[in-house]
Amino acid sequence: MKQYLLTEDQISFIDMVKDFFAKEVLPIRAEYDEKEEVPMEVIKKAMDMGLHILDIPEEYGGAGLDFLTYVMLVEEMCKVDDAFTSILNAGSIACKVVELGGTEEQKNMFYRKVVEGAFVGMCITEADAGSDVSAIAATAVRDGGEYVIDGTKLFVSNGSLADHYIVFASTDKSKGSRGISAFIVDADLPGVSRGKRESKLGCHAGDTCAVTFDHVRVPAGNLLGKENEGFKLTMQTLDRGRVKVAAMAVGLAQGALDYAVSYAKERVQFGQPICRLQGVQFMLADMEAAVETARQMVYHAAALIDSGMPCSRAASIAKLTASDNCMKVCTDAVQILGGYGLCREYPVERFFRNAKTYQIVEGTNQIQRMVIGRDLCR
Ligand SMILES: Cc1cc2nc3c(=O)[nH]c(=O)nc-3n(C[C@H](O)[C@H](O)[C@H](O)COP(=O)(O)OP(=O)(O)OC[C@H]3O[C@@H](n4cnc5c(N)ncnc54)[C@H](O)[C@@H]3O)c2cc1C
């Protein structure tokens, strides 16, 4: 976090959040990772503080934070537990889709529910549509005053908790990606069913599952934006999603670095703390450089988003650098703990497992390279 970029009010809010995470999240993070469960009681407390609506506009009841302050907060939260943070913030990009595509009535209705504590799942990915979003096979067919939605979505974050989904489905197959539309779908509608929670390498407390829509009827008024404009809506939210994930990776990496430094100061070998050994100090120095480099890229991309300037290349660079650096930093944190780094009772083992997530979500790092390369070679 860079205090010189913030006002007194922002600093005191961030301090309050840090205090909450230190008192409420730190003591339970290992337990819920082990149990592979959502720590719902503490999530509810965080929601009471408004930590799930940080970037929702004030006029709709959210905190209305600018994006730079938002990502700084995300970073601070992920320093303690990125899985917990992902549960709180998984709905933020879905909310952005509503902000961009929704009518005033849709926004008022949708945000009121989110502010009151409803969970939202973003449903894009399918069996044959992962990196290639344009291959979406789910369909939405107009039938009088309704659309009938069919299809199965995979890897939906907060999928089994969600009260509402933002579902992307094809309304005109002949148009490919230009025939995709976005819908608000209530989770309790007939035909909506959830698969079992995925048991993943990392972020065990986080909730990810498949959601099937079998002849689900939604009012035509649940269409977001115009018909066939769903792909455009996802593309407009991509940059924010990527920078948010990059901020998560920076926070996780900082947490790993902090732990490695404190361990290296305590652990004695060859008659001295290992942090006095140049080989270890050099590793720590490289880790610090990697975290700080990524942080600057995240803040730069977030500032571009706040200013409304083009930022796709910067967002991809931030996501690529932050997640690759996070993986390296977490790997080195394990190395600095030696054999203890492999043991579950030390948090770096979990940091290492969680780190892999950020090289994959919100567009794999190969896709980020593709975006950067294409932008360079236009
Ligand atoms: C924890 C978690 C949470 C998620 N949350 C959500 C969610 O809330 N909503 C949602 O819709 N989805 C979600 N996803 C899905 C995520 O967006 C996809 O996993 C991701 O986009 C990659 O798709 P895929 O897994 O099908 O991999 P694939 O697209 O099959 O990719 C496989 C490999 O091929 C590479 N590859 C693919 N295309 C190219 C290319 N053109 N050039 C070079 N290499 C390429 C990839 O980089 C990767 O290494 C989540 C995933 C995870 C793991």
Side-chain angles (χ1 to χ4, degrees), residues 10 60 64 200 208 225 238 300 330 334 344 355 372:
Q10 287 170 319
Y60 300 110
K200 307 185 296 295
T208 317
L238 274 185
H300 170 64
C330 292
V334 171
R344 291 231 157 159
I372 299 162

Side-chain angles (χ1 to χ4, degrees), residues 86 90 120-133 153-159 166 168 198 200 202-203 206-209 356-370 374:
S86 76
V120 185
M122 178 89 157
C123 300
I124 300 175
T125 304
E126 298 177 4
D128 293 324
S131 300
D132 182 8
V133 175
K153 298 293 182 176
L154 304 181
F155 290 117
V156 181
S157 296
N158 283 355
I166 303 298
F168 291 81
E198 300 295 346
K200 307 185 296 295
C203 292
D207 173 69
T208 317
C209 74
K356 191 65 201 162
T357 309
Y358 304 103
Q359 293 181 307
I360 293 173
V361 297
E362 290 293 331
T364 67
N365 283 4
Q366 286 72 33
I367 296 299
Q368 306 308 325
R369 288 182 172 89
M370 205 174 82
R374 279 186 183 163

